Amino acid sequence: SQQGEEDPQALSIQEGENATMNCSYKTSINNLQWYRQNSGRGLVHLILIRSNEREKHSGRLRVTLDTSKKSSSLLITASRAADTASYFCANLSGNTGKLIFGQGTTLQVKP
Amino acid sequence: EPEVTQTPSHQVTQMGQEVILRCVPISNHLYFYWYRQILGQKVEFLVSFYNNEISEKSEIFDDQFSVERPDGSNFTLKIRSTKLEDSAMYFCASSVWGEAYFGPGTRLTVL
């Protein structure tokens, strides 16, 4: 299956703490992307990490990629209540650019 | 910053009716996609479109679905005879290659 698996499915932390979400695939990872979705809203592109990269930073976001384990992690440092959302990983699949999404992690940051 | 737009934001229809969901992709993008997300579930790929034709479609994208890019700017998804199980958020996305940007979605409710 190309389906992405994410864990944890739900995460609840206090403001200021770090949040780590993990994503794994059974197929090879290419140009893995992370998206945020606020409840009932659209998908906001956060960061893309290419298959030849191991780590990437963007502001408070840090993404790592382990192609041998076919897995990626998203770390949000110094979380804020506004980070409360669902986070999805998405793997580029095939030669048409389609994305295979993970199940998502629902993050709640308590003020 | 350029963005993908979608109309309408919410569409309510009766079972068996035809609906057309509209999208305006980012102007210099070449690849166009439709995805759907049933409430509380993961985002699923429907179809990819490149060079004025479908490049890939999923099992979900059966004969009741069709896509068009009628005028070089709009990108539409038509559902010919809606079913209850078509109720979902439908997202349009566009990309140059790999890094996909999503619209805010159309919530389709089939009664």
Side-chain angles (χ1 to χ4, degrees):
Chain A
S1 166
Q2 293 183 326
Q3 212 169 349
E5 302 293 333
E6 290 191 59
D7 74 272
Q9 289 187 355
L11 181 60
S12 182
I13 59 175
Q14 292 295 134
E15 209 166 22
E17 293 180 340
N18 295 340
T20 300
M21 289 157 265
N22 304 294
C23 167
S24 63
Y25 284 83
K26 293 180 181 174
T27 58
S28 61
I29 289 186
N30 305 293
N31 292 348
L32 190 97
Q33 300 174 59
W34 285 89
Y35 290 85
R36 183 184 74 227
Q37 184 181 38
N38 289 80
S39 181
R41 307 293 293 275
L43 294 156
V44 175
H45 187 273
L46 294 176
I47 196 165
L48 178 152
I49 185 164
R50 302 189 189 284
S51 52
N52 61 353
E53 296 175 313
R54 292 295 168 260
E55 189 170 310
K56 201 160 182 180
H57 297 254
S58 176
R60 293 184 295 113
L61 305 180
R62 175 181 160 235
V63 169
T64 61
L65 180 64
D66 187 333
T67 51
S68 64
K69 293 182 180 176
K70 300 176 185 174
S71 66
S72 174
S73 67
L74 171 67
L75 168 68
I76 303 174
T77 60
S79 63
R80 304 167 182 168
D83 295 328
T84 294
S86 292
Y87 291 83
F88 294 89
C89 62
N91 189 24
L92 192 68
S93 174
N95 58 5
T96 63
K98 79 176 182 189
L99 295 173
I100 304 298
F101 280 81
Q103 299 283 0
T105 294
T106 300
L107 173 66
Q108 182 185 32
V109 181
K110 299 175 186 174
Chain B
E1 187 174 328
E3 58 183 17
V4 177
T5 59
Q6 289 185 244
T7 54
S9 57
H10 191 187
Q11 174 91 49
V12 181
T13 190
Q14 295 290 326
M15 191 169 57
Q17 294 297 304
E18 175 182 288
V19 295
I20 297 176
L21 310 183
R22 291 184 166 80
C23 167
V24 179
I26 294 173
S27 61
N28 64 334
H29 285 188
L30 303 174
Y31 299 85
F32 312 108
Y33 309 89
W34 284 99
Y35 291 81
R36 80 171 185 191
Q37 184 182 35
I38 294 171
L39 186 63
Q41 298 188 23
K42 67 182 176 71
V43 179
E44 301 174 290
F45 167 77
L46 291 178
V47 65
S48 59
F49 192 85
Y50 171 73
N51 202 25
N52 285 320
E53 60 183 21
I54 290 174
S55 47
E56 186 174 358
K57 58 185 180 180
S58 71
E59 292 176 355
I60 303 167
F61 195 90
D62 61 22
D63 291 344
Q64 68 162 343
F65 291 92
S66 63
V67 289
E68 264 193 329
R69 194 150 189 260
D71 57 11
S73 61
N74 292 287
F75 180 49
T76 62
L77 174 69
K78 182 192 289 186
I79 309 175
R80 254 179 283 281
S81 177
T82 50
K83 304 171 188 168
L84 294 176
E85 55 265 36
D86 293 329
S87 293
M89 280 286 280
Y90 287 81
F91 293 106
C92 172
S94 69
S95 73
V96 174
W97 175 253
E99 192 166 340
Y101 289 86
F102 284 75
T106 293
R107 180 172 299 282
L108 176 65
T109 302
V110 182
L111 302 176

